[in-house]
């Protein structure tokens, strides 16, 4: 598999009056051509900040990329002059966001919003761009595109607006699509439609997708690989099957246990992970999950665990991987065994 | 669209009628009459005058007479300026006030928007602080302080502009600036805060994610959305300019309508008071109507009227 994007050691902070929020603390991952990589993790773990940093869209100030490399087709996006970045955003890397209601300009017709991106990147005439926009709207399943193109966002439903966003993001055939919780703001039935649409379009266009989501069900259905994020770091990365069936990080176990499953008997209850995520103003020196981890050892509190490759595709950052660590019965690992700290 | 406009026109007429009636009643409630101030007039002359202006009739009759002439768009004769009607006084003096007011309004809107945009784009930098400093000055220094100061320094000491009166375009510069200061400062501040807010909106991030360079993001996506609150206050600001022109015209001895308005009240020139009040009211009502129309044009979510079909 050929890699399209390679991120290493990405660190992003927000400099606030109260201090520095270390939102992303040394994240490394890659995205292959045409695949779907899902980033999962609880609220505030730094998923959106990671995604926005890839194309330097974090609000700045206060946001700032402290260090790291983002290599896209041989170029480091963090070192590129702004002007070069304008050519990559939208044309090489498209984005869709969580809230389709606020993500479209309310005073501009959706047609104009799609067309302006096409014209900026492809330098073609209005008529040709308009045709392309109609094509895109048809592609994302919006009926009556010739008429809809002249309408304003408030004349569309939430699901339809997200389709417009997808049409807009894919209009210039980007090689990569960043989708930050594209379905969270939508009704459940619409969520499934939108995910199916994205999957279909990916088959047609071969676009790689970086999918950020809370929904492990969506991950199981659409992703090829999964990256689990916690407290600004990636704790585990692997193929979907590796994460769902051979997870090695206690946080991943917790995440899986907190998700309902079809094969569970009725008595089994959802297990929320006790405790709360680390303070990003003053993160602990060790593993960010140590305070909530039932298997935490001394080392976990003192030093960041190194990343260990469990298989060529499966990587985990946990002290339990250390040869001298006590072995944990991974089969039984579940949150029934956790003592809830009172 | 037509139905909306017709409905609004009808409402405007009703509003004007209410204003006319209230002004008429309040005027009658003020003690004194047009002829009491001057030296004693002979009994017979006074009587003739009273009957000429229908002032000897009972108030309801006076009211009906006045309403009747209003319907014919006739504001009646002036009492103070015996040879002229209120209509001619307004048509002679209004162009001067209109020029002054329009210049001030254009200056305020254009400069205010520009400064606001620049301040927002340079948020918390030197230009921003500078613009905000002048905005606070403009809002807190009243025009009757600003105008004489400008006269003293810009006209008398440095001789850059004429001090007063109205004899050519250069005479209109100082009064226009004095009149524009407050609305200009208000628009600057409002535009800045509105734009700073719009810049944090999700759709701005979307526009940037399409690869648009900053100037396109600002021109296409930011300004139009930031301008909505400005459109709303254009109405009140125009009112401010209209009423502010009374003071400015007085300070700069400009032969505008404001001068007649102020004088008409101390002279008890009933027809002139009524005429100018109604004229100003229609102007304000009309400006507000225009503002509403503009609002509907700028923000598609505000539907003033149903589009045909659909
Ligand atoms: N503009 C900002 N200013 C200050 N802090 C920010 C800003 N954006 C994000 N953060 C901080 O960065 C951290 C990570 O936020 P991020 O939005 O990436 O979380 P997330 O994983 O996307 O969560 P969610 O699932 O809720 O979207 C949070 O602690 C947040 O407070
Ligand atoms: Mg997020």
């Amino acid at each position: 598999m050929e890699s399209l994007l390679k991120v290493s050691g990405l660190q992003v902070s927000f400099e606030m009056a109260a201090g520095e929020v270390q939102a992303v603390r040394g994240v490394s991952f890659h995205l292959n051509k045409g695949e779907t990589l899902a980033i999962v993790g609880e609220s505030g773990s730094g998923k959106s900040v990671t995604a926005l940093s890839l194309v330097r869209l974090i609000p700045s100030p206060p946001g700032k990329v402290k260090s790291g490399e983002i290599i896209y087709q041989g170029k480091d996006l963090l070192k590129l002059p702004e002007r070069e970045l304008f050519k990559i955003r939208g044309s090489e890397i498209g984005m869709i966001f969580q809230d389709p209601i606020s993500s479209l300009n309310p005073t501009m017709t959706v047609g104009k919003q799609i067309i302006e991106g096409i014209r900026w990147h492809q330098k073609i005439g209005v008529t040709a761009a308009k045709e392309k926009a109609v094509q895109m709207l048809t592609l994302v399943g919006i009926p009556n595109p010739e008429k809809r193109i002249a309408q304003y966002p408030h004349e569309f439903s939430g699901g339809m607006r997200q389709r417009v966003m997808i049409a807009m993001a894919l209009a210039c055939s980007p090689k990569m699509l960043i989708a930050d919780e594209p379905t969270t703001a939508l009704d459940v039935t619409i969520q499934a439609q939108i995910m199916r649409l994205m999957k279909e379009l990916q088959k047609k266009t071969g676009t790689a997708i970086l999918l950020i989501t809370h929904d492990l069900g969506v991950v199981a259905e659409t992703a090829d690989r999964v990256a689990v994020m916690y407290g600004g770091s990636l704790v585990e990365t692997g193929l979907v099957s590796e994460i769902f069936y051979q997870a090695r990080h206690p946080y991943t176990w917790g995440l899986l246990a907190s998700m309902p499953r079809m094969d569970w008997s009725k008595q089994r209850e959802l297990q929320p992970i006790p405790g709360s995520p680390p303070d990003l103003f003053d993160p602990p020196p060790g593993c960010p999950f140590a305070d909530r981890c039932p298997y935490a050892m001394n080392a976990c509190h003192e030093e960041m665990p190194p990343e260990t490759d469990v298989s060529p595709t499966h990587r985990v950052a946990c002290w339990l991987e250390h040869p001298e660590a006590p072995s944990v019965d991974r089969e039984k690992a579940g949150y029934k065994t956790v003592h809830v700290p009172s | 669209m037509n139905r909306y406009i017709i409905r609004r026109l009808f409402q405007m007429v009703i509003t004007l009628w209410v204003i006319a009636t209230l002004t008429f009643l309040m005027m009658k409630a003020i003690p004194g009459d047009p002829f009491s101030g001057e030296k004693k007039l002979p009994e017979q002359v006074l009587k003739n005058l009273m009957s000429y202006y229908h002032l000897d009739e009972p108030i309801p009759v006076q009211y009906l007479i006045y309403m009747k002439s209003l319907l014919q768009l006739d504001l009646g004769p002036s009492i103070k300026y015996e040879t002229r009607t209120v209509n001619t006084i307004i048509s002679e003096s209004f162009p001067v006030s209109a020029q002054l007011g329009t210049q001030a309004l254009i200056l305020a809107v254009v400069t205010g928007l520009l400064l606001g945009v620049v301040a927002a784009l340079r948020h918390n930098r030197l230009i921003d602080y500078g613009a905000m400093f002048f905005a606070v000055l403009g809002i807190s220094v009243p025009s009757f302080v600003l105008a004489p100061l400008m006269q003293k320094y810009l006209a008398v000491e440095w001789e850059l502009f004429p001090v007063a009166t109205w004899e050519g375009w250069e005479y209109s510069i100082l009064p226009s600036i004095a009149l524009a200061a407050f609305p200009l400062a208000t628009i600057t501040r409002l535009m800045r805060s509105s734009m700073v807010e719009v810049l944090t909106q999700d759709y701005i991030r979307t526009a940037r994610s399409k690869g648009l360079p900053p100037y396109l993001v600002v021109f296409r996506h930011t300004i139009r959305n930031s301008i909505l609150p400005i459109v709303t206050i254009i109405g009140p600001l125009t009112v401010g300019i209209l009423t502010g022109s009374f003071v400015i015209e007085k300070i700069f001895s400009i032969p505008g309508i404001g001068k007649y308005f102020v004088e008409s009240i101390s002279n008890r020139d009933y027809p002139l008071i009524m005429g100018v009040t109604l004229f100003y009211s229609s102007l304000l009502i009309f400006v507000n109507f225009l503002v509403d129309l503009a609002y509907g044009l700028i923000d598609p979510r505000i539907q003033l009227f149903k589009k045909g079909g659909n």
Side-chain angles (χ1 to χ4, degrees):
Chain A
M1 274 268 197
E2 209 181 331
S3 141
L4 182 68
L5 178 93
K6 198 164 182 342
V7 178
S8 30
L10 181 68
Q11 268 188 304
V12 188
S13 289
F14 292 92
E15 268 148 23
M16 312 298 285
E20 183 185 328
V21 184
Q22 302 180 30
V24 175
R25 307 191 290 139
V27 160
S28 306
F29 65 96
H30 71 277
L31 181 67
N32 291 322
K33 281 193 175 154
E35 76 165 347
T36 301
L37 170 66
I39 300 188
V40 298
E42 55 190 30
S43 196
S45 55
K47 306 182 295 292
S48 300
V49 174
T50 304
L52 289 173
S53 304
L54 299 184
V55 282
R56 302 207 330 231
L57 273 182
I58 49 164
S60 159
K64 193 164 172 256
V65 175
K66 305 279 274 197
S67 65
E69 261 187 351
I70 297 170
I71 307 291
Y72 175 80
Q73 303 211 309
K75 286 175 279 194
D76 187 346
L77 296 187
L78 291 178
K79 297 213 173 70
L80 227 49
E82 277 249 81
R83 263 183 301 119
E84 295 298 308
L85 210 60
F86 298 148
K87 293 180 194 154
I88 290 182
R89 285 186 198 147
S91 121
E92 298 276 327
I93 303 179
M95 293 192 92
I96 52 182
F97 302 100
Q98 174 170 346
D99 188 353
I101 295 183
S102 59
S103 293
L104 287 166
N105 184 342
T107 60
M108 206 181 199
T109 63
V110 300
K112 281 198 181 132
Q113 296 188 53
I114 302 176
I115 289 170
E116 67 171 352
I118 303 178
R119 292 202 63 199
W120 168 250
H121 290 295
Q122 305 184 344
K123 314 284 179 215
I124 55 175
V126 187
T127 339
K130 199 169 166 188
E131 245 165 58
K132 176 80 192 177
V134 170
Q135 258 177 38
M136 289 311 299
L137 288 183
T138 315
L139 194 66
V140 296
I142 291 185
N144 263 328
E146 285 90 359
K147 200 174 126 199
R148 295 296 245 166
I149 207 166
Q151 292 185 337
Y152 288 92
H154 71 271
E155 297 170 75
F156 289 72
S157 67
M160 283 294 163
R161 281 184 227 194
Q162 198 58 297
R163 286 172 193 261
V164 170
M165 284 295 292
I166 296 175
M168 204 153 81
L170 295 181
C172 298
S173 325
K175 297 196 182 64
M176 174 179 164
L177 179 69
I178 300 176
D180 190 353
E181 307 198 30
T183 58
T184 310
L186 304 175
D187 288 348
V188 184
T189 46
I190 313 282
Q191 285 182 6
Q193 287 174 14
I194 295 287
M195 284 321 301
R196 215 175 304 131
L197 173 70
M198 287 182 44
K199 208 62 202 162
E200 253 170 50
L201 292 177
Q202 184 182 34
K203 256 190 219 139
K204 282 188 203 159
T205 58
T207 308
I209 299 180
L210 183 70
L211 174 71
I212 294 173
T213 177
H214 283 289
D215 188 340
L216 289 175
V218 166
V219 174
E221 274 168 40
T222 56
D224 300 302
R225 293 192 304 124
V226 186
V228 181
M229 198 155 182
Y230 185 82
S233 321
L234 281 187
V235 294
E236 186 164 11
T237 316
L239 300 176
V240 168
S241 56
E242 289 169 329
I243 297 297
F244 277 80
Y245 302 110
Q246 294 148 37
R248 297 186 71 90
H249 197 288
Y251 175 64
T252 314
W253 300 336
L255 207 59
L256 292 168
S258 65
M259 166 192 151
R261 284 165 69 154
M262 297 293 274
D263 56 354
W264 279 359
S265 61
K266 283 203 188 94
Q267 295 95 331
R268 197 151 165 193
E269 281 184 15
L270 288 182
Q271 306 280 332
I273 309 175
S276 54
D279 179 8
L280 293 177
F281 278 109
D282 182 23
C287 172
F289 189 58
D291 279 347
R292 298 166 81 184
C293 180
Y295 310 104
M297 305 168 289
N298 283 342
C300 300
H301 292 285
E302 284 154 16
E303 208 180 318
M304 208 58 149
E307 293 191 300
T308 314
D309 286 314
V310 202
S311 86
T313 49
H314 191 177
R315 170 177 283 194
V316 58
C318 179
W319 280 116
L320 290 176
E321 302 300 329
H322 195 272
E324 281 165 36
S327 75
V328 171
D329 186 349
R330 296 181 199 285
E331 288 300 314
K332 287 209 192 121
Y335 272 72
K336 280 177 294 187
T337 50
V338 171
H339 322 283
V340 182
S342 51
Chain B
M1 165 124 189
N2 283 335
R3 274 186 47 195
Y4 172 77
I5 291 182
I6 289 170
R7 205 180 71 222
R8 281 296 299 263
L9 287 176
F10 181 70
Q11 285 170 355
M12 289 194 261
V13 171
I14 300 279
T15 315
L16 273 180
W17 171 70
V18 171
I19 293 174
T21 308
L22 285 179
T23 320
F24 182 87
L25 292 177
M26 283 195 289
M27 214 168 53
K28 293 295 165 194
I30 308 174
D33 66 69
F35 313 107
S36 57
E38 297 173 28
K39 61 179 173 2
K40 264 268 180 278
L41 289 165
E43 190 81 1
Q44 192 52 42
V45 177
L46 192 63
K47 216 169 166 183
N48 284 346
L49 279 172
M50 293 294 256
S51 92
Y52 177 71
Y53 292 107
H54 305 295
L55 294 175
D56 52 353
E57 309 271 5
I59 287 182
V61 178
Q62 287 185 33
Y63 177 73
L64 288 180
I65 292 172
Y66 190 71
M67 283 299 143
K68 192 171 147 239
S69 63
L70 263 196
L71 282 180
Q72 295 155 348
L73 296 181
D74 176 8
L75 299 170
S78 162
I79 297 177
K80 172 85 198 304
Y81 306 93
E82 288 141 39
T83 51
R84 298 155 78 191
T85 64
V86 175
N87 287 38
T88 48
I89 292 179
I90 291 179
S91 63
E92 278 167 22
S93 60
F94 179 63
V96 173
S97 300
Q99 186 195 341
L100 178 63
T102 315
Q103 280 179 199
L105 191 63
I106 292 176
L107 179 68
V109 171
V110 173
T111 322
L113 288 182
L114 220 76
L115 279 180
V117 168
V118 171
L121 292 179
R122 293 277 168 273
H123 189 39
N124 287 343
R125 310 245 198 96
L126 200 62
I127 294 186
D128 183 21
Y129 291 134
M132 281 312 105
F133 176 73
F134 281 106
V136 171
L137 273 190
I139 287 173
S140 40
V141 176
S143 63
F144 59 82
V145 174
L146 183 65
L149 280 178
M150 289 201 309
Q151 280 176 319
K152 178 169 173 1
Y153 291 102
L154 299 179
V156 178
E157 294 202 358
W158 301 335
E159 298 182 353
L160 298 173
F161 303 98
V163 182
T165 69
W166 193 259
E167 275 140 51
W169 187 71
E170 68 272 23
Y171 288 79
S172 70
I173 299 175
L174 281 191
S176 297
I177 296 177
L179 196 50
F182 179 83
L184 192 159
T186 312
I187 291 175
T188 304
R189 273 173 44 131
L190 195 63
M191 185 63 187
R192 170 184 176 269
S193 62
S194 162
M195 188 149 154
V196 164
E197 211 230 69
V198 167
L199 281 170
T200 65
Q201 295 293 309
D202 287 350
Y203 56 82
I204 298 298
R205 184 180 61 194
T206 307
R208 300 213 294 145
S209 80
K210 283 188 263 191
L212 300 183
Y215 74 92
L216 282 184
V217 174
V218 168
F219 281 107
R220 289 210 194 128
H221 295 272
T222 316
I223 291 185
R224 183 165 177 178
N225 287 296
S226 322
I227 238 167
L228 286 169
I230 312 290
V231 177
T232 348
I233 60 153
I234 289 285
L237 286 183
T238 311
V239 176
I241 285 183
L242 286 175
T243 49
S245 69
F246 298 166
V247 178
I248 296 296
E249 286 176 11
K250 191 94 192 154
I251 295 177
F252 288 91
S253 322
I254 295 168
I257 199 170
K259 189 183 126 209
Y260 288 100
F261 191 34
V262 176
E263 284 177 4
S264 69
I265 295 172
S266 45
N267 290 335
R268 298 281 144 68
D269 191 342
Y270 292 147
L272 194 53
I273 299 179
M274 288 290 295
V276 177
T277 307
L278 283 178
F279 182 73
Y280 266 112
S281 310
S282 350
L283 211 61
L284 291 181
I285 291 170
F286 190 64
V287 166
N288 273 326
F289 173 61
L290 288 186
V291 166
D292 285 349
L293 285 186
Y295 215 71
L297 287 181
I298 294 181
D299 190 342
R301 287 165 299 186
I302 297 172
Q303 281 239 316
L304 296 182
F305 26 82
K306 282 258 178 292
K307 284 181 214 137
N310 191 23

